[in-house]
């Protein structure tokens, strides 16, 4: 559902300090909570007929009866994402090479050609955070099946391990050339990489050690995937070949021929694992049946090269492709959707000779001809299957979902028929569209600025002289010690004793005293006794007397070297401990006395410590 989120201070209202803040425009929020709750309340076992709801009809009154894709496993047409939700772009724009939903679906991770990871909110699609993940362009990224790890690869051949909180625990130099793709094994114990050096490499995940190299391609390896349940690897190369490998022996099992140009993407069907989809720069995509080891579907419709494809997480028959011209096509493998005037081809399964019958030609069930301005590099479905994310060379990340019942204007927007045709039909205003895009960019800049506030170091606060880490409040006149009297934090509002040492009797010249002379005075112990509070010329009228020491106070537990050698306390104080050898005050360095007014931050946990902690939990097995 769409909700309107307005600015905190609308119209001419001011902010906290009276400043003007621009009113935020309408932001679509995809709230799937009500649909999921309704499905969980009313669902029944599939052998009992599924949901007892009325069949959905094209009317807005049926919006309340919308169900998630998992509730309609045999109705893939209801899940086709034909409606544009939001376009997200960074303040500093770079081509988006990778889009990946986090396993819980709360955020979308994008990897750009600048080596940065960007996180976008999964419901409001606003900016959340950005980080420099790699030193070169991010080329591949995937989550483990256990959802505990993220592995990414870059242009320099470096592979990095990331925890769910994006703590980088390991980096290995897997190749010397750009890595184009990688995939995890079904049990997450290994992963495979595809590189421009024409080789595939299998690594042990826990140790980051290369186990084997798969050689057989004659040119750059552009794509790789590991079967979701079996020991089977598929790879596609610039030599126009699709190869299936045995990861145990490293042997090439078979080579699938059918494409006439560079293979751009290969992917196993994740639900049942019986189909294999491939696409190439020959403007076609093919679906192979692993049980027959042959192509059963030929996907046509693209006018330019196909750059990527993805399977739906629930619907076996829904396949989405992205073209180098920015188009996104959705195919239903059980519906040919032949253009008018063309004969319908027969599936090989329905022929008398399935092994030799030609592949069935499938045309798009839905076309987003103008989804992006340039090539679509990556597509990925939300774990619930209701939102499709796309990343493109036009530096924009876009979100797509199904149209709600009764909505028809989305099929005539500029993403379907182009800007000129949409402007002619009145469904898009060029000037208003540019203004809206400019407002969206400004909103993304504001979101990015607000999202990065917590990542900046806090401003350096004034501190009390001689008390490291204790900040002094800044007064109205801009000073840190002027105005109201200072109070010690956590001491019940007790006033801070003023620095009246320079006006004590016998210590009037301490400010101009030589350091050696002051050191000799401390060593001799000839210090005058402290005057009573409230004495003449001594500030601090009304200060409470110092509290008495506890009856069983043990001076031997004081830190070593707390008193200088030979120092004697004035009369009335207990004697110092006899042993004063050792370091200084705990938590203070050697230069912390007098001028040490900066609290030093403790060291952060190292990556090695994080790795050892994961090993203790049993999630990261070391190699012996």
């Amino acid at each position: 559902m769409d909700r309107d989120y307005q600015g905190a201070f609308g119209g001419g209202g001011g902010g906290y300090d009276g400043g003007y803040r621009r009113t935020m425009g309408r932001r679509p929020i995809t709230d799937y909570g009500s649909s999921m709750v309704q499905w969980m309340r009313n669902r029944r076992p599939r052998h009992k007929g599924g949901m007892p709801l009325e069949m959905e009809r094209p009317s807005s009154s049926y919006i309340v009866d919308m169900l998630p894709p998992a509730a309609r496993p045999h109705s893939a047409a209801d899940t086709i994402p034909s409606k544009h939700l939001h376009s997200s772009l960074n303040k500093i724009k770079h081509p988006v090479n990778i889009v990946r939903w986090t396993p819980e679906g709360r955020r979308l991770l994008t990897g750009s050609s600048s080596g940065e990871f960007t996180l976008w909110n999964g419901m409001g699609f606003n900016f959340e955070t950005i980080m420099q993940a790699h030193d070169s362009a991010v080329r591949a990224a995937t989550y483990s099946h256990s959802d505990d790890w993220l592995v990414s690869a870059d242009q320099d051949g470096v592979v990095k391990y990331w925890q769910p909180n994006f703590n980088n625990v390991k980096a290995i130099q897997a190749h010397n050339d750009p890595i184009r793709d990688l995939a995890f094994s079904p049990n997450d114990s290994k992963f495979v990489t595809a590189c421009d050096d024409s080789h595939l490499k299998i690594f042990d995940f826990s140790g980051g050690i290369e186990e084997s190299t798969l050689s057989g391609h004659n040119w750059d390896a552009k794509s790789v995937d590991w079967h979701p349940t079996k020991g089977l690897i598929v790879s596609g190369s610039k030599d126009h070949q699709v190869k299936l490998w045995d990861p145990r022996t490293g042997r090439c099992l078979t080579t699938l021929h059918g494409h006439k140009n560079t293979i751009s993407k290969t992917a196993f069907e994740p639900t049942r694992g019986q189909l294999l989809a491939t696409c190439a720069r020959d403007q076609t995509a093919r679906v192979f049946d692993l049980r027959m080891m042959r192509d059963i579907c030929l996907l046509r419709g693209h006018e330019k090269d196909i750059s990527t494809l993805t399977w739906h997480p629930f619907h076996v028959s829904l396949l989405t492709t992205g073209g180098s011209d920015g188009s996104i096509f959705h195919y239903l493998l059980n519906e040919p959707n032949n253009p008018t005037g063309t004969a319908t081809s027969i599936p090989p399964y329905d022929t008398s000779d399935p092994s030799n019958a030609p592949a069935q030609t499938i045309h798009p069930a839905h076309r987003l001809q103008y989804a992006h301005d340039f090539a679509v590099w990556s597509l990925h479905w939300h774990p619930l299957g209701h939102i499709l994310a796309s990343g493109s060379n036009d530096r924009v990340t876009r979100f797509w979902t199904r149209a709600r019942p009764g909505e028809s204007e989305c099929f005539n927007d500029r993403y379907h028929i182009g800007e000129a045709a949409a402007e002619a039909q009145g469904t898009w205003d060029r000037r208003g569209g540019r203004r809206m895009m400019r407002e969206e960019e400004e909103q993304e800049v504001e979101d990015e600025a607000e999202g990065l506030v917590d990542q900046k170091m806090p401003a350096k606060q004034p501190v009390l002289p001689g008390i490291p880490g204790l900040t002094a409040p800044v007064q109205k006149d801009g000073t840190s010690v002027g105005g109201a009297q200072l109070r010690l934090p956590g001491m019940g509002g007790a006033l801070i004793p003023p620095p009246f040492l320079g006006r004590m009797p016998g210590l009037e010249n301490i400010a101009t005293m030589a350091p050696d002379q002051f050191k000799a005075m401390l060593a001799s112990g000839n210090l005058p006794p402290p005057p009573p509070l409230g004495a003449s010329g001594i500030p601090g009228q009304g200060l409470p007397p110092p509290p008495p020491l506890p009856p069983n106070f043990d001076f031997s537990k004081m830190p070593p070297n707390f008193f200088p050698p030979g120092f004697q306390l004035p009369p009335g104080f207990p004697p110092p401990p006899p042993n004063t050898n050792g370091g200084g005050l705990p938590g203070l360095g050697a230069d912390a006395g007098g001028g040490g007014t900066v609290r030093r931050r403790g060291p952060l946990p190292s990556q090695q410590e994080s790795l050892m902690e994961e090993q203790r939990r049993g999630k990261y097995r070391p190699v012996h």
Side-chain angles (χ1 to χ4, degrees):
M1 59 181 298
D2 294 341
R3 298 179 180 176
D4 295 337
Y5 278 71
Q6 299 295 331
F9 311 102
Y16 293 107
D17 53 357
Y20 175 79
R21 181 175 178 180
R22 179 177 60 85
T23 302
M24 294 172 58
R26 185 183 186 189
R27 167 164 290 174
I29 301 295
T30 304
D31 185 4
Y32 51 84
S34 58
S35 299
M36 292 296 297
V37 170
Q38 176 170 305
W39 176 49
M40 295 173 66
R41 287 185 57 188
N42 300 324
R43 64 180 175 177
R44 296 186 303 184
R46 294 181 181 175
H47 68 275
K48 291 187 176 181
M51 297 290 295
L53 297 178
E54 184 180 355
M55 182 65 66
E56 185 179 295
R57 300 182 182 181
S59 173
S60 58
S61 60
Y62 287 85
I63 294 178
V64 296
D65 294 332
M66 290 179 62
L67 295 175
R72 301 178 183 271
H74 303 294
S75 181
D78 293 338
T79 311
I80 292 179
S82 58
K83 179 181 178 181
H84 170 257
L85 280 177
H86 187 73
S87 297
S88 300
L89 64 163
N90 293 87
K91 179 180 179 181
I92 302 177
K93 306 175 184 63
H94 297 281
V96 180
N97 296 332
I98 291 294
V99 292
R100 289 291 181 270
W101 287 96
T102 56
E104 77 283 355
R106 292 179 178 270
R107 296 172 182 86
L108 177 75
L109 171 71
T110 62
S112 67
S113 61
S114 63
E116 295 174 333
F117 279 169
T118 306
L119 282 178
W120 306 94
N121 187 278
M123 294 182 64
F125 317 116
N126 56 293
F127 171 89
E128 286 203 354
T129 188
I130 189 172
M131 61 177 294
Q132 187 68 40
H134 288 266
D135 297 331
S136 59
V138 180
R139 292 298 179 188
T142 185
Y143 278 93
S144 62
H145 297 87
S146 63
D147 302 338
D148 292 332
W149 295 96
L150 169 71
V151 173
S152 60
D154 63 13
Q155 182 79 11
D156 296 334
V158 176
V159 173
K160 291 189 176 183
Y161 295 8
W162 306 88
Q163 291 175 321
N165 61 353
F166 293 97
N167 178 31
N168 179 217
V169 299
K170 195 178 186 65
I172 60 175
Q173 186 70 44
H175 296 267
N176 295 323
D177 292 317
I179 297 177
R180 296 298 177 177
D181 203 359
L182 52 83
F184 270 100
S185 64
N187 59 359
D188 295 336
S189 63
K190 307 179 189 303
F191 67 92
V192 60
T193 59
C195 180
D196 279 354
D197 58 7
S198 76
H199 297 304
L200 308 177
K201 289 186 179 181
I202 299 177
F203 291 85
D204 179 76
F205 176 71
S206 59
I209 302 174
E210 177 186 344
E211 290 191 345
S212 60
T213 300
L214 309 183
S215 301
H217 283 294
N218 300 320
W219 215 341
D220 303 354
K222 294 297 184 182
S223 178
V224 70
D225 194 18
W226 204 310
H227 195 277
T229 59
K230 297 177 174 59
L232 185 63
I233 293 176
V234 62
S235 63
S237 172
K238 200 174 180 179
D239 59 4
H240 313 171
Q241 296 179 355
V242 177
K243 291 181 177 292
L244 295 173
W245 307 81
D246 182 357
R248 301 175 181 86
T249 62
R251 183 171 62 93
C252 178
L253 300 177
T254 186
T255 300
L256 302 177
H257 301 276
H259 291 287
K260 301 178 181 179
N261 210 322
T262 301
I263 309 298
S264 53
K265 186 67 176 178
T266 58
F268 288 109
E269 196 278 315
T271 304
R272 301 177 183 174
Q274 299 174 352
L275 303 179
L276 167 67
T278 64
C279 63
R281 295 181 180 175
D282 57 3
Q283 306 176 14
T284 63
R286 292 179 181 268
V287 178
F288 294 83
D289 192 330
L290 298 177
R291 299 166 296 182
M292 303 171 62
M293 279 298 175
R294 58 148 298 175
D295 54 340
I296 57 172
C297 294
L298 174 62
L299 310 185
R300 294 187 178 275
H302 279 276
E303 300 176 357
K304 298 292 183 180
D305 302 343
I306 302 179
S307 53
T308 186
L309 57 79
T310 184
W311 291 94
H312 192 271
F314 297 109
H315 299 300
V316 182
S317 61
L318 180 55
L319 184 66
T320 302
T321 60
S324 60
D325 57 352
S327 60
I328 296 178
F329 289 176
H330 305 286
Y331 294 88
L332 295 176
L333 302 185
N334 53 3
E335 297 182 11
N337 294 296
N338 292 83
T340 304
T342 59
T344 301
S345 57
I346 302 176
Y349 305 114
D350 298 337
T351 62
S352 58
D353 188 7
S355 300
N356 299 319
Q360 183 184 20
T361 302
I362 305 294
H363 292 269
H366 187 81
R367 303 170 186 254
L368 286 166
Q369 189 68 48
Y370 306 94
H372 287 273
D373 297 333
F374 297 101
V376 179
W377 292 134
S378 183
L379 296 168
H380 200 232
W381 282 97
H382 189 280
L384 291 179
H386 68 295
I387 298 179
L388 175 68
S390 60
S392 170
N393 200 46
D394 61 4
R395 302 170 174 83
V396 179
T397 302
R398 289 201 166 104
F399 299 86
W400 314 85
T401 189
R402 59 157 294 184
R404 296 181 299 183
E407 287 186 341
S408 59
E409 65 274 4
C410 63
F411 298 99
N412 293 320
D413 59 6
R414 65 188 185 98
Y415 302 106
H416 286 81
I417 60 178
E419 294 183 356
E423 188 176 12
Q425 292 189 10
T427 57
W428 187 72
D429 180 18
R430 185 180 300 272
R431 184 174 302 175
R434 291 176 179 175
R435 184 184 69 253
M436 184 180 300
M437 183 179 299
R438 186 166 54 252
E439 290 179 354
E440 289 180 357
E441 292 181 2
E442 294 175 359
Q443 184 61 49
E444 296 296 349
V445 171
E446 290 183 8
D447 292 341
E448 184 168 348
E450 294 174 358
L452 294 179
V453 168
D454 295 337
Q455 301 183 19
K456 297 180 180 179
M457 292 297 293
K460 190 175 181 180
Q461 299 292 335
V463 295
L464 294 176
I467 309 181
L470 188 58
T471 59
V474 179
Q475 308 300 327
K476 294 182 179 180
D477 56 0
T479 63
S480 60
V481 294
Q485 298 185 14
L486 306 180
R487 297 180 181 272
L488 287 172
M491 298 295 291
L495 297 176
I496 295 178
F500 55 85
L501 186 62
R503 284 180 279 180
M504 290 178 58
L507 296 178
E508 294 85 355
N509 300 325
I510 190 173
T512 59
M513 187 179 299
D516 295 339
Q517 184 180 358
F518 182 70
K519 184 176 181 181
M521 179 186 296
L522 291 177
S524 63
N526 296 328
L527 290 175
L533 294 175
S536 176
I538 305 299
Q541 295 285 347
L543 288 176
L549 294 175
N552 299 326
F553 186 79
D554 188 3
F555 265 96
S556 62
K557 296 182 179 180
M558 295 294 291
N561 273 357
F562 186 79
F563 302 101
F567 178 76
Q568 295 181 0
L569 291 173
F573 285 86
N579 184 14
T580 58
N581 296 327
L585 288 174
L588 297 180
D591 58 345
T597 60
V598 179
R599 181 177 61 182
R600 301 187 181 276
R601 188 181 300 272
L604 295 175
S606 64
Q607 297 180 4
Q608 185 66 22
E609 293 175 355
S610 299
L611 187 57
M612 294 175 62
E613 178 64 24
E614 291 298 325
Q615 292 176 354
R616 283 192 292 269
R617 295 178 180 177
K619 297 182 179 180
Y620 198 82
R621 177 177 57 83
V623 176
H624 300 287

